[in-house]
Amino acid sequence: MTKFDDATGTQEDRTISALYDTLGDELKAIFGTALIDDIRRVFLSKHGPNLRNGVAHALHHDGAAYGPDAIYASWLVWHICCLPLAKHWNELFPSS
Protein backbone atom coordinates (compact mmCIF):
# COMPACT_ATOMS: atom_id res chain seq x y z
CA MET A 1 0.00 0.00 0.00
CA THR A 2 1.26 3.46 -0.77
CA LYS A 3 0.49 6.99 0.35
CA PHE A 4 0.26 9.80 -2.22
CA ASP A 5 1.18 13.33 -1.19
CA ASP A 6 -0.81 15.75 -3.35
CA ALA A 7 1.24 18.75 -2.27
CA THR A 8 4.56 17.35 -3.47
CA GLY A 9 3.25 14.90 -6.06
CA THR A 10 5.21 12.06 -4.50
CA GLN A 11 4.24 8.54 -3.61
CA GLU A 12 5.58 6.82 -0.52
CA ASP A 13 5.51 3.10 0.27
CA ARG A 14 4.19 2.24 3.69
CA THR A 15 5.81 -0.41 5.82
CA ILE A 16 3.75 -3.28 7.19
CA SER A 17 4.12 -1.73 10.65
CA ALA A 18 2.66 1.54 9.37
CA LEU A 19 -0.21 -0.36 7.76
CA TYR A 20 -0.87 -2.11 11.04
CA ASP A 21 -1.00 1.23 12.82
CA THR A 22 -3.20 2.85 10.15
CA LEU A 23 -5.59 -0.06 9.55
CA GLY A 24 -5.58 -1.57 13.04
CA ASP A 25 -9.31 -1.12 13.66
CA GLU A 26 -10.24 -2.68 10.31
CA LEU A 27 -7.89 -5.62 10.85
CA LYS A 28 -9.31 -6.23 14.33
CA ALA A 29 -12.86 -6.13 12.95
CA ILE A 30 -11.98 -8.79 10.37
CA PHE A 31 -9.62 -11.11 12.28
CA GLY A 32 -10.21 -10.25 15.93
CA THR A 33 -7.90 -8.68 18.48
CA ALA A 34 -6.19 -11.89 19.61
CA LEU A 35 -5.10 -12.92 16.11
CA ILE A 36 -3.95 -9.43 15.14
CA ASP A 37 -1.91 -9.15 18.34
CA ASP A 38 -0.39 -12.57 17.69
CA ILE A 39 0.66 -11.58 14.16
CA ARG A 40 2.25 -8.40 15.51
CA ARG A 41 4.17 -10.32 18.19
CA VAL A 42 5.47 -13.00 15.82
CA PHE A 43 6.31 -10.93 12.76
CA LEU A 44 6.65 -7.28 13.73
CA SER A 45 7.52 -6.71 17.36
CA LYS A 46 11.15 -6.08 18.29
CA HIS A 47 10.36 -7.78 21.60
CA GLY A 48 9.27 -10.99 19.87
CA PRO A 49 10.96 -13.16 17.26
CA ASN A 50 10.53 -10.34 14.68
CA LEU A 51 10.62 -12.92 11.90
CA ARG A 52 9.73 -10.56 9.06
CA ASN A 53 12.68 -8.30 9.77
CA GLY A 54 15.04 -11.20 10.40
CA VAL A 55 14.19 -12.93 7.14
CA ALA A 56 14.13 -9.72 5.09
CA HIS A 57 17.59 -8.69 6.25
CA ALA A 58 19.17 -12.16 6.52
CA LEU A 59 19.67 -11.85 10.27
CA HIS A 60 18.75 -15.45 11.12
CA HIS A 61 21.14 -18.38 11.24
CA ASP A 62 20.71 -21.40 8.97
CA GLY A 63 18.74 -23.43 11.50
CA ALA A 64 16.21 -20.69 12.32
CA ALA A 65 13.75 -22.07 9.79
CA TYR A 66 13.47 -25.24 11.89
CA GLY A 67 13.17 -23.51 15.25
CA PRO A 68 10.05 -23.07 17.34
CA ASP A 69 9.43 -19.47 16.22
CA ALA A 70 9.41 -20.40 12.53
CA ILE A 71 7.26 -23.47 13.16
CA TYR A 72 4.74 -21.39 15.09
CA ALA A 73 4.78 -18.71 12.37
CA SER A 74 4.06 -21.37 9.73
CA TRP A 75 1.16 -22.68 11.80
CA LEU A 76 -0.14 -19.13 12.26
CA VAL A 77 -0.11 -18.45 8.52
CA TRP A 78 -1.84 -21.80 7.90
CA HIS A 79 -4.40 -20.93 10.56
CA ILE A 80 -5.17 -17.60 8.88
CA CYS A 81 -5.19 -18.82 5.26
CA CYS A 82 -6.40 -22.41 5.28
CA LEU A 83 -8.48 -23.02 8.37
CA PRO A 84 -11.36 -20.75 7.24
CA LEU A 85 -11.65 -22.91 4.11
CA ALA A 86 -12.11 -26.14 6.09
CA LYS A 87 -15.87 -25.57 6.37
CA HIS A 88 -16.03 -25.77 2.56
CA TRP A 89 -14.15 -29.08 2.31
CA ASN A 90 -17.21 -31.15 1.38
CA GLU A 91 -18.20 -28.64 -1.32
CA LEU A 92 -14.74 -28.80 -2.87
CA PHE A 93 -14.27 -32.56 -2.51
CA PRO A 94 -17.68 -34.24 -2.48
CA SER A 95 -17.56 -37.93 -1.62
CA SER A 96 -18.16 -40.16 -4.58
Side-chain angles (χ1 to χ4, degrees), residues 42-43 51 65 67-81:
V42 172
F43 294 104
L51 291 175
D69 292 333
I71 291 170
Y72 182 77
S74 296
W75 173 87
L76 182 60
V77 170
W78 182 87
H79 178 80
I80 294 166
C81 297

Side-chain angles (χ1 to χ4, degrees), residues 55-75:
V55 170
H57 300 289
L59 301 174
H60 292 299
H61 57 81
D62 292 343
Y66 305 102
D69 292 333
I71 291 170
Y72 182 77
S74 296
W75 173 87

Side-chain angles (χ1 to χ4, degrees), residues 13-84:
D13 290 333
R14 290 187 177 178
T15 65
I16 193 166
S17 298
L19 288 173
Y20 245 71
D21 294 339
T22 304
L23 302 172
D25 293 336
E26 289 88 347
L27 290 169
K28 287 178 183 177
I30 295 167
F31 296 109
T33 302
L35 188 56
I36 294 305
D37 290 345
D38 209 13
I39 293 169
R40 182 185 300 276
R41 280 190 295 275
V42 172
F43 294 104
L44 305 174
S45 175
K46 293 178 183 177
H47 303 292
N50 199 8
L51 291 175
R52 184 197 60 82
N53 190 49
V55 170
H57 300 289
L59 301 174
H60 292 299
H61 57 81
D62 292 343
Y66 305 102
D69 292 333
I71 291 170
Y72 182 77
S74 296
W75 173 87
L76 182 60
V77 170
W78 182 87
H79 178 80
I80 294 166
C81 297
C82 297
L83 197 57

